[in-house]
Amino acid sequence: MKFESFGIENITADLNRLDDLMPEYGLIRAEQWDYERVSYDRKFELREGTYYLRILGYAIEGDVGAHRATMKLMVPLLGKHYYPHGIEYGEGEFFPPSLVKQCEKILSQVKEELTQFNGL
């Protein structure tokens, strides 16, 4: 499921600022990065299954490995995890309405903080 209505995509931010902000909302980068891309994930374990809210970004300047990069964020995703195959984001997936609402709240808060920090 894509969260296209939040306007998070195309926001640019300093990598270190993102690394400080995202964990406040349970979005963890951990080892999901390479020298050009990052992924901040929040795991939800519900009765219906395991879900991940994911915010992806890519470097438009600098190097993620050196912790000196300006990142451009992409459309946030919500996916359901299927062991051992991975995460499915498709339109045919069922996402509990309470989970979608919780993710929307998180995304709104993240966007508000990013826009305040960036002066947008």
Side-chain angles (χ1 to χ4, degrees):
M1 168 180 224
K2 292 182 179 183
F3 290 100
E4 296 174 301
S5 63
F6 285 88
I8 287 179
E9 64 277 5
N10 299 323
I11 289 179
T12 59
D14 179 76
L15 173 65
N16 294 312
R17 173 69 180 134
L18 291 171
D19 283 349
D20 289 341
L21 173 67
M22 295 300 194
E24 293 177 22
Y25 298 96
L27 293 154
I28 307 301
R29 178 159 63 109
E31 299 300 318
Q32 292 89 266
W33 66 274
D34 64 19
Y35 293 99
E36 298 174 349
R37 297 177 296 218
V38 294
S39 173
Y40 296 94
D41 294 338
R42 178 164 175 173
K43 183 178 183 179
F44 297 90
E45 294 182 287
L46 307 175
R47 178 174 7 130
E48 295 88 347
T50 301
Y51 298 86
Y52 287 89
L53 174 61
R54 178 167 281 171
I55 299 178
L56 301 164
Y58 62 93
I60 57 173
E61 182 180 307
D63 183 312
V64 173
H67 298 280
R68 287 189 304 269
T70 301
M71 306 303 296
K72 186 171 189 175
L73 299 180
M74 300 168 70
V75 175
L77 303 169
L78 179 61
K80 184 172 183 181
H81 183 262
Y82 291 95
Y83 178 82
H85 303 292
I87 300 173
E88 293 292 329
Y89 304 100
E91 295 293 322
E93 294 299 324
F94 170 75
F95 299 104
S98 61
L99 174 61
V100 172
K101 189 173 192 123
Q102 185 177 3
C103 291
E104 289 173 343
K105 181 179 179 184
I106 291 166
L107 294 172
S108 291
Q109 292 171 326
V110 167
K111 182 185 179 195
E112 183 177 331
E113 289 221 28
L114 286 171
T115 53
Q116 284 178 3
F117 185 78
N118 287 341
L120 300 173

